[in-house]
Amino acid sequence: MQHKTDFQFNLKSQPQQVVYLLALVFIAWIAVFWQGIITAIDIWLISDIFNHCLFVLPGAFYLIYLKRSELSFGLVKPAWWGLLFCAGSALLYLIGIAGDVQLFMHIAAFTFLPFAIWTCVGSTIAKRILFPLFFMLFCIPFGEEFVPTLQRIAADLSVMMLNWTTIPVFRSGLYIEIPQGRFLVAEACSGISFFIASVVIGALYSYLNIYSTKRRIAFVTLSIVVPIIANAVRVFGIIVIAHLSNMEHAVGADHLIYGWFFFAFVIILLLAIGELVREKQAPVTQNKTTVPTSSFGSSTQKGTVNVALGFVVFYAVVFGWLQHIYAQQNPMENPPALKTSALQGLMINQQTSQWQPKFNDAFESFSATIELEQQPLDVFIAWYPKGHGELISSLHRFYQEKDWTLESSSRYTLNSELELPLSIIVSGRGYRALTYWYVIDGMVFTDRKLAKLYEIYRLMLGKHQGGLVVAVSEEIELVSKTQDLEAFKQKVQKTYTLLNSNSQYP
């Protein structure tokens, strides 16, 4: 009996216990977060913006390997409190699964892994590999949300620079006009690919080559600001070249080629600045802490076993919640039809205007031009019962961006209680006013984020029935913009009242 007890103690005292725990956590991480990981990899492979994400995890583990001389099993002291952060990531993942919000799924998956590693090895080791753990966050395919903002900044700065020249310029939304032609600062001109690549390169370079905290922060800040300014200079340069060559150069595919050469030059310039500001040699660390090599004691062994059991219970609970959520996502059988009788009597014809929203996989939709105040008004409704498509998605559009661009956006109060968004969109054919609202399980929302969260909340409670979106638009004249907008608001109010008073929502 004594020999058996000694054998068990020796088995538990082996540092391999930590390796087994990390392997268990990593395998279970793949199993639990499989959908989030796979959808992220799909984006990495499909989108040029996120191709670099394929190398982030291998790069992070290699950075940890480079720190091996500062690490030891003797420093391992699992941190129970780390499970709280893991639980937060898991909760976000469950919300992402419930609402099919891939961004939530990706954030949860790639924050859970560094939190889990921190929990397993403890704070002492985690602090020594803090940047590699942080670097794993670059796996998240995030950044496309900045595209509209980067487009506006590029347009603002390029027009400002054009005003410094003698080139006549007129701007309308994202359209920039000069006497020789018209330019659109499209999504491809936002510089998002260059922006994200610059941030990743800047963070990695500062970690590997700069030792001062202030210099690191300054260089990372520079890697954020430089690509934004450089992209505006690129847009400005394209317009100037087109002006000087009478639109023979820097149009079509030319400006993309010029752009890549320009961005390569800027990256080289950024790294050159880094070489100038970085310390020429690493600072000498005084009183360096000795790294223990064989102090894997019984308290650490017990902590490792307890954390392992905690992860087993934790994963079991998450699996249970996932099964519950999947069950709630089953499509509704025989969903009710969309009621449009209140609008049918006012309908002039099926919608034939150039404005047409794009809402994919709607169970049923209504698109027509109706007559209010003896004036045409375009109305669009898309109905999404539970399990039949996704009402709120980044793929949906209230206008086709290849035809329209945003001129301005604001909000106004309807019926003294509901604040609606009001957008002015512009194309080569003129201007339009646009507003919209969502109805989810009888509740009206004008903020798509709040609407999405409420939809997820109802789904997790098992009470979600479905939701719809109503979009209303009308052509307006620039010379009578103020009067047309006031008339448009009155028509929207009548449309809203008409739909509610006649119970047109399923």
Side-chain angles (χ1 to χ4, degrees):
M1 182 66 67
Q2 183 65 37
H3 176 71
K4 184 177 180 181
T5 302
D6 290 341
F7 173 77
Q8 288 180 342
F9 178 79
N10 291 333
L11 179 64
K12 289 183 179 180
S13 69
Q14 298 301 313
Q16 284 87 338
Q17 196 177 108
V18 179
V19 177
Y20 294 152
L21 175 59
L22 289 171
L24 171 67
V25 169
F26 187 77
I27 294 171
W29 171 71
I30 295 176
V32 172
F33 294 90
W34 176 256
Q35 188 172 342
I37 296 170
I38 287 298
T39 53
I41 292 175
D42 287 340
I43 296 175
W44 299 349
L45 295 173
I46 294 172
S47 175
D48 293 339
I49 300 175
F50 302 111
N51 287 161
H52 68 277
C53 293
L54 291 166
F55 307 99
V56 170
L57 271 186
F61 288 125
Y62 179 70
L63 293 176
I64 293 175
Y65 172 76
L66 293 179
K67 302 282 288 186
R68 64 191 182 279
S69 62
E70 300 179 30
L71 309 178
S72 169
F73 286 110
L75 295 173
V76 172
K77 189 177 181 181
W80 262 101
W81 54 265
L83 287 174
L84 297 176
F85 292 94
C86 293
S89 294
L91 178 61
L92 183 62
Y93 186 71
L94 293 173
I95 293 173
I97 290 289
D100 195 20
V101 184
Q102 289 193 358
L103 178 60
F104 285 4
M105 294 160 58
H106 299 156
I107 292 175
F110 294 106
T111 55
F112 182 91
L113 183 58
F115 284 148
I117 294 174
W118 193 312
T119 302
C120 292
V121 301
S123 298
T124 302
I125 290 183
K127 290 177 181 178
R128 301 189 179 194
I129 57 172
L130 186 59
F131 179 83
L133 295 179
F134 166 79
F135 192 68
M136 293 179 185
L137 301 183
F138 284 117
C139 286
I140 302 170
F142 172 75
E144 289 185 312
E145 294 76 9
F146 298 138
V147 167
T149 301
L150 292 176
Q151 285 177 277
R152 289 193 294 272
I153 292 175
D156 291 341
L157 294 180
S158 59
V159 169
M160 180 183 70
M161 286 182 278
L162 285 170
N163 287 330
W164 296 343
T165 69
T166 58
I167 303 175
V169 59
F170 173 75
R171 178 185 173 187
S172 178
L174 296 177
Y175 287 98
I176 300 175
E177 294 185 53
I178 62 173
Q180 286 75 17
R182 195 181 202 193
F183 298 85
L184 171 63
V185 184
E187 291 185 7
C189 302
S190 66
I192 185 65
S193 299
F194 179 58
F195 174 77
I196 294 176
S198 176
V199 173
V200 174
I201 293 172
L204 186 59
Y205 180 90
S206 65
Y207 170 72
L208 293 174
N209 297 284
I210 301 176
Y211 304 98
S212 166
T213 301
K214 292 182 178 179
R215 294 191 185 191
R216 282 180 173 176
I217 294 174
F219 187 76
V220 172
T221 302
L222 198 65
S223 69
I224 294 173
V225 174
V226 165
I228 296 175
I229 297 176
N231 187 58
V233 173
R234 181 183 72 92
V235 174
F236 166 74
I238 288 170
I239 296 175
V240 169
I241 293 173
H243 168 73
L244 296 176
S245 64
N246 198 26
M247 301 296 285
E248 291 184 6
H249 301 292
V251 293
D254 287 353
H255 80 279
L256 295 177
I257 298 173
Y258 297 160
W260 280 113
F261 279 110
F262 181 73
F263 287 155
F265 168 76
V266 173
I267 284 289
I268 293 172
L269 180 62
L270 186 65
L271 295 179
I273 295 173
E275 286 296 309
L276 290 175
V277 301
R278 76 180 182 92
E279 299 88 344
K280 301 309 176 184
Q281 59 182 9
V284 178
T285 303
Q286 300 293 333
N287 300 324
K288 187 174 181 180
T289 304
T290 303
V291 178
T293 57
S294 59
S295 60
F296 196 77
S298 59
S299 62
T300 302
Q301 300 157 25
K302 184 177 179 180
T304 303
V305 173
N306 289 339
V307 166
L309 292 175
F311 270 112
V312 170
V313 174
F314 178 80
Y315 282 130
V317 172
V318 174
F319 266 120
W321 266 101
L322 283 174
Q323 296 307 313
H324 169 74
I325 290 174
Y326 288 142
Q328 296 300 322
Q329 291 178 327
N330 292 330
M332 177 189 296
E333 296 182 3
N334 303 317
L338 179 64
K339 303 173 185 178
T340 57
S341 57
L343 300 179
Q344 293 288 346
L346 302 173
M347 190 169 66
I348 300 174
N349 50 39
Q350 293 297 318
Q351 194 179 60
T352 57
S353 70
Q354 296 294 330
W355 171 75
Q356 184 63 45
K358 179 184 177 183
F359 278 72
N360 303 310
D361 304 322
F363 179 77
E364 190 176 352
S365 62
F366 172 84
S367 180
T369 302
I370 65 174
E371 185 178 36
L372 280 179
E373 305 291 337
Q374 298 181 343
Q375 294 292 328
L377 184 71
D378 295 321
V379 179
F380 174 85
I381 307 175
W383 162 233
Y384 290 85
K386 187 190 76 168
H388 295 272
E390 186 179 1
L391 172 62
I392 303 172
S393 169
S394 60
L395 300 177
H396 297 333
R397 296 290 184 271
F398 283 102
Y399 54 89
Q400 300 288 350
E401 293 177 345
K402 63 183 178 62
D403 300 319
W404 299 90
T405 182
L406 182 66
E407 168 74 15
S408 63
S409 60
S410 59
R411 302 185 73 86
Y412 74 100
T413 303
L414 181 71
N415 293 336
S416 301
E417 56 183 22
L418 185 65
E419 192 177 66
L420 290 180
L422 177 62
S423 300
I424 307 299
I425 56 177
V426 60
S427 72
R429 293 172 292 274
Y431 292 79
R432 293 190 74 91
L434 167 66
T435 190
Y436 60 87
W437 62 89
Y438 297 94
V439 182
I440 299 174
D441 295 331
M443 290 286 290
V444 179
F445 293 89
T446 60
D447 186 301
R448 62 194 304 268
K449 297 182 181 67
L450 292 178
K452 187 66 175 180
L453 290 175
Y454 183 74
E455 183 182 38
I456 294 171
Y457 167 73
R458 295 283 295 183
L459 185 62
M460 295 185 75
L461 290 180
K463 298 181 179 180
H464 181 53
Q465 298 298 311
L468 58 81
V469 60
V470 180
V472 182
S473 181
E474 181 185 39
E475 291 184 3
I476 60 174
E477 296 293 336
L478 185 60
V479 293
S480 56
K481 180 178 177 181
T482 303
Q483 295 86 342
D484 286 355
L485 285 178
E486 288 302 318
F488 174 71
K489 293 175 184 178
Q490 295 298 321
K491 296 173 192 175
V492 171
Q493 181 172 338
K494 291 185 178 181
T495 303
Y496 179 84
T497 304
L498 193 65
L499 289 172
N500 280 276
S501 61
N502 289 275
S503 302
Q504 295 303 297
Y505 302 135

